[in-house]
């Protein structure tokens, strides 16, 4: 992550662009925050929850300049980056990296290289993970886009496969893209503790809600039914070892089937069939695939 001076400079430039046009003429005077609405106003507002450009900068500067870490009996002031876990850290990271990405398209257009700008249409980023599809030249521009503080790693599994979050992307011999559910924790030779134990004295209601959220995540990959059911079975087996009650998990599954039926009806299976499969004692899993079409493959980097 960048030092705080560079971080603030980049963020302040974004703030300026929100309040002023490119010609320097004021576009807005205040940002008004009245939950759930957030909007800009041109001149004045009677709201007491309005913030000028200067006020927003001052708040942001105070936040960044007053990050302290306690280690033993010593207190350290952080001068590079922002600590993980801070409520706004994701937003600050997004905006900092975006400030560099936002420069690349106008630059290509000024250079009369519109065709290169179009190539970025299928490039996506989530915090520090970038996925670029069908852009054979992307690797040539990565280091010129992002600042030197960001370490760039090329991380596909092979020339025809790459994982991006919970999806494993593969190109078959016919040039078609297949997708599978993927969790890197299953690649380790040891069991990774990533779900709560009920013996930890935590409330049951949020935990069962967490189980439903995991099933929703599996279903949203839009995989075929054996992918969804086998992952559901693996999750059920893991949670049972960690003290969960099968009756409560079944109840949560029924709630998912009724409340989020638009996600699970794609599998054309009844609730009874799903319950029988997921809550069967056999934990063997064979992941299925979903066929999509694409011309080239994926370039995946970690920044």
């Amino acid at each position: 992550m960048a030092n705080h001076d560079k971080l603030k400079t980049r963020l302040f430039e974004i703030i300026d662009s929100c309040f002023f046009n490119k010609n320097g003429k004021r576009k807005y005077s205040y940002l008004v925050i009245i939950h759930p609405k957030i909007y800009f106003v041109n001149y004045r507002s009677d709201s007491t929850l309005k913030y000028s450009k200067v006020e927003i900068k001052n708040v942001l500067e105070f936040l960044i300049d007053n990050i302290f870490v306690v280690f033993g009996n010593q207190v350290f002031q952080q001068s590079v980056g922002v600590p993980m876990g801070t409520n706004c850290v994701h937003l600050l990271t997004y905006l900092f990296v975006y400030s560099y990405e936002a420069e690349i398209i106008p630059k290509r257009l000024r250079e009369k290289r519109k065709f290169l700008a179009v190539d970025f249409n299928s490039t996506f980023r989530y915090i520090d993970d970038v996925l670029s599809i069908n852009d054979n030249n992307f690797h040539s521009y990565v280091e010129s886009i992002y600042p030197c503080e960001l370490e760039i790693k090329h991380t596909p599994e092979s020339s025809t496969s790459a994982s991006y979050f919970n999806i494993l992307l593969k190109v078959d011999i016919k040039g078609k893209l297949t997708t599978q559910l993927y969790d890197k924790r299953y690649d380790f030779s040891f069991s990774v503790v990533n779900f709560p134990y009920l013996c930890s004295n935590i409330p049951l209601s949020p935990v069962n809600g967490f189980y439903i959220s995991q099933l929703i995540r599996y279903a949203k990959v839009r995989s075929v039914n054996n992918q969804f059911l086998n992952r559901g079975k693996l999750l059920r087996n893991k949670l049972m070892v960690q003290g969960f009650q099968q009756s409560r998990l079944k109840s949560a599954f029924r709630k998912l089937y009724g409340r989020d039926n638009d996600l699970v009806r794609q599998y054309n299976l009844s609730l009874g069939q799903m319950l029988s499969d997921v809550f069967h004692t056999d934990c063997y899993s064979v992941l299925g695939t979903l066929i999509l079409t694409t011309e080239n493959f994926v370039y995946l980097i970690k920044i």
Side-chain angles (χ1 to χ4, degrees):
M1 190 65 176
N3 63 62
H4 286 178
D5 287 339
K6 178 178 283 190
L7 175 61
K8 288 187 290 187
T9 297
R10 284 280 169 170
L11 295 177
F12 289 173
E13 289 175 353
I14 292 177
I15 294 172
D16 287 337
S17 68
C18 293
F19 284 86
F20 290 87
N21 292 312
K22 292 182 179 180
N23 59 9
K25 184 178 180 180
R26 179 180 292 276
K27 183 166 48 174
Y28 300 111
S29 296
Y30 296 102
L31 175 67
V32 180
I33 302 176
I34 304 177
H35 186 76
K37 295 182 179 180
I38 300 175
Y39 56 90
F40 287 94
V41 293
N42 292 327
Y43 299 106
R44 62 179 298 276
S45 171
D46 294 330
S47 173
T48 58
L49 297 176
K50 62 178 183 294
Y51 302 90
S52 67
K53 177 194 71 171
V54 174
E55 289 173 323
I56 294 174
K57 286 184 178 181
N58 288 341
V59 170
L60 190 58
E61 185 170 31
F62 180 86
L63 171 68
I64 295 173
D65 289 345
N66 289 274
I67 297 173
F68 296 92
V69 179
V70 177
F71 182 78
N73 60 355
Q74 294 181 299
V75 178
F76 299 89
Q77 185 174 19
Q78 186 166 345
S79 60
V80 177
V82 288
M84 296 298 293
T86 306
N87 288 342
C88 64
V89 66
H90 287 174
L91 179 58
L92 297 183
T93 304
Y94 272 128
L95 293 175
F96 177 74
V97 180
Y98 164 77
S99 70
Y100 289 91
E101 295 169 334
E103 295 174 347
I104 190 66
I105 302 300
K107 182 179 179 181
R108 294 291 173 263
L109 296 178
R110 288 194 300 269
E111 296 171 348
K112 307 298 183 182
R113 304 168 76 185
K114 183 178 180 180
F115 67 97
L116 291 177
V118 174
D119 288 341
F120 289 107
N121 279 344
S122 296
T123 299
F124 312 91
R125 177 178 57 81
Y126 180 78
I127 305 179
D128 62 348
D129 287 296
V130 177
L131 175 67
S132 185
I133 302 175
N134 293 342
D135 185 358
N136 295 327
N137 298 313
F138 184 71
H139 64 281
S140 303
Y141 298 100
V142 171
E143 294 187 2
S144 64
I145 297 173
Y146 297 104
C148 59
E149 290 86 357
L150 299 181
E151 182 182 0
I152 298 173
K153 297 179 181 179
H154 182 213
T155 59
E157 280 73 13
S158 70
S159 60
T160 58
S161 65
S163 58
Y164 191 64
F165 296 109
N166 65 335
I167 300 177
L168 178 63
L169 306 166
K170 288 186 177 181
V171 172
D172 62 20
I173 58 175
K174 297 181 179 179
K176 292 184 177 180
L177 182 66
T178 65
T179 66
Q180 294 179 203
L181 284 164
Y182 173 75
D183 190 333
K184 63 182 178 182
R185 285 166 290 206
Y186 288 108
D187 295 338
F188 297 123
S189 58
F190 53 86
S191 178
V192 178
V193 179
N194 58 320
F195 299 126
Y197 279 77
L198 290 196
C199 62
S200 60
N201 195 30
I202 57 178
L204 289 179
S205 180
V207 170
N208 288 317
F210 136 80
Y211 172 64
I212 293 177
S213 70
Q214 290 297 305
L215 294 176
I216 290 175
R217 184 171 70 88
Y218 297 159
K220 282 188 175 181
V221 176
R222 300 295 180 184
S223 53
V224 291
N225 58 36
N226 63 325
Q227 274 196 51
F228 172 75
L229 295 176
N230 282 314
R231 277 306 171 97
K233 190 184 299 184
L234 286 174
L235 178 61
R236 170 260 183 190
N237 292 337
K238 189 176 184 68
L239 295 181
M240 290 289 290
V241 172
Q242 295 179 196
F244 283 69
Q245 298 178 8
Q246 178 159 293
S247 60
R248 286 184 172 272
L249 295 179
K250 278 188 174 182
S251 177
F253 197 100
R254 291 189 184 96
K255 183 181 293 186
L256 167 75
Y257 192 90
R259 188 186 65 187
D260 299 287
N261 188 259
D262 57 320
L263 289 175
V264 296
R265 66 186 177 192
Q266 61 180 313
Y267 306 122
N268 296 318
L269 295 174
S270 67
L271 174 60
Q273 289 173 306
M274 286 190 170
L275 288 174
S276 176
D277 199 309
V278 171
F279 293 93
H280 191 270
T281 55
D282 180 15
C283 63
Y284 182 70
S285 175
V286 180
L287 297 180
T289 59
L290 171 68
I291 305 299
L292 303 174
T293 59
T294 187
E295 296 176 359
N296 301 312
F297 183 49
V298 177
Y299 185 86
L300 178 69
I301 65 169
K302 176 79 172 179
I303 60 173

